[in-house]
Amino acid sequence: MDVFHSSPWVPPEWIAAHGFQPRGAWCSPRLDLPSAALAEGVCAFAGGVLRLAEAHPEAGIVLTTHCDQLRRGFDALNDATGKRTFLFNLPATWQTPTARRLYQSELERLGRFLVKLGGTPPDRLRLEQVCRAYDQARRHLRAAAETCSGRRLMELFANFHWTGEAKPCSETESGTDGVPLALVGGPLPPSHWGLLELIEAAGGRIVLDGTEAGERSLLPQIRLE
């Protein structure tokens, strides 16, 4: 069973350890955000995620509070889907003991939701195995960031957030020509990847992908206590 989640900061290994396939909603091939004007005040990404959830009534849905529109979207989805929708209270910071305690308690609450959805609570060995596999995949992606072009790196990240696997980078050298750029911002769905090619065609070279689903989406290693 698929479980769509709206933020890379919800650990996909926690979802996978309960027996589900985590799917980063921003990587869905069906998340085609229109360029035309939407209804006033509606975030294109939030609207796309809600439509994706409605199109997959068989899947679990995990939204987070890091986006106010997604938080409000949860209210609308919850009225219609109820038991298959979960709102994860994501702390705005991670440096404080209070934030870490909140994050841990939300993971525990998410675990109870996944069990109600039909999942199985993982034992220590199962959790260690899944966490180790995801950590290894993230290490491969960090290494790929040193050699891959912006477009190819985005494809590798998207594949990881969609399948949990890290494909190798087929490029051997990203090159040193072009103006080095850092790309920052929110999630960049597949329908908008052409922007990366335009940047590179214009003489830019993306040396840091700081979008929401880019390099900063690679969570640090989870420590099991």
Side-chain angles (χ1 to χ4, degrees):
M1 178 180 180
D2 289 341
V3 172
F4 291 95
H5 58 103
S6 66
S7 171
W9 301 300
V10 174
E13 49 263 64
W14 185 238
I15 297 173
H18 282 78
F20 298 101
Q21 174 61 63
R23 303 286 193 188
W26 60 94
C27 305
S28 171
R30 297 188 63 178
L31 189 70
D32 187 14
L33 307 187
S35 57
L38 298 175
E40 183 178 357
V42 176
C43 163
F45 175 68
V49 170
L50 297 184
R51 289 192 295 273
L52 183 68
E54 292 170 349
H56 291 272
E58 77 289 349
I61 309 295
V62 179
L63 304 181
T64 65
T65 57
H66 84 288
C67 166
D68 187 60
Q69 292 221 0
L70 284 174
R71 181 181 63 79
R72 294 179 180 276
F74 166 79
D75 295 333
L77 271 182
N78 196 46
D79 290 341
T81 62
K83 296 181 180 180
R84 70 181 182 98
T85 309
F86 182 87
L87 182 65
F88 191 100
N89 291 299
L90 192 67
T93 184
W94 55 267
Q95 295 95 335
T96 68
T98 300
R100 288 193 290 270
R101 285 195 299 269
L102 173 60
Y103 192 73
Q104 180 177 346
S105 68
E106 284 300 285
L107 288 178
E108 293 170 352
R109 196 169 66 88
L110 175 59
R112 293 191 292 271
F113 164 77
L114 294 172
V115 170
K116 290 181 180 179
L117 208 59
T120 303
D123 57 27
R124 176 84 182 201
L125 179 60
R126 165 67 175 167
L127 189 56
E128 287 178 347
Q129 291 173 337
V130 175
C131 287
R132 188 160 50 246
Y134 271 84
D135 185 55
Q136 183 177 15
R138 292 187 180 103
R139 287 200 302 271
H140 286 317
L141 290 175
R142 291 189 182 98
E146 301 295 326
T147 60
C148 283
S149 66
R151 170 61 184 260
R152 179 56 180 157
L153 188 62
M154 184 65 75
E155 291 174 349
L156 295 180
F157 281 10
N159 179 74
F160 166 71
H161 290 303
W162 189 250
T163 68
E165 301 176 354
K167 291 184 177 180
C169 181
S170 58
E171 301 172 359
T172 58
E173 182 61 47
S174 61
T176 57
D177 297 332
V179 179
L181 299 171
L183 185 65
V184 297
L188 198 66
S191 59
H192 290 182
W193 287 351
L195 172 64
L196 305 176
E197 295 174 341
L198 290 175
I199 291 174
E200 292 170 348
R205 177 169 56 92
I206 299 172
V207 297
L208 174 63
D209 184 351
T211 61
E212 186 168 313
E215 293 176 57
R216 65 191 178 105
S217 72
L218 301 180
L219 300 178
Q221 183 178 8
I222 292 180
R223 295 180 298 175
L224 301 179
E225 299 178 352

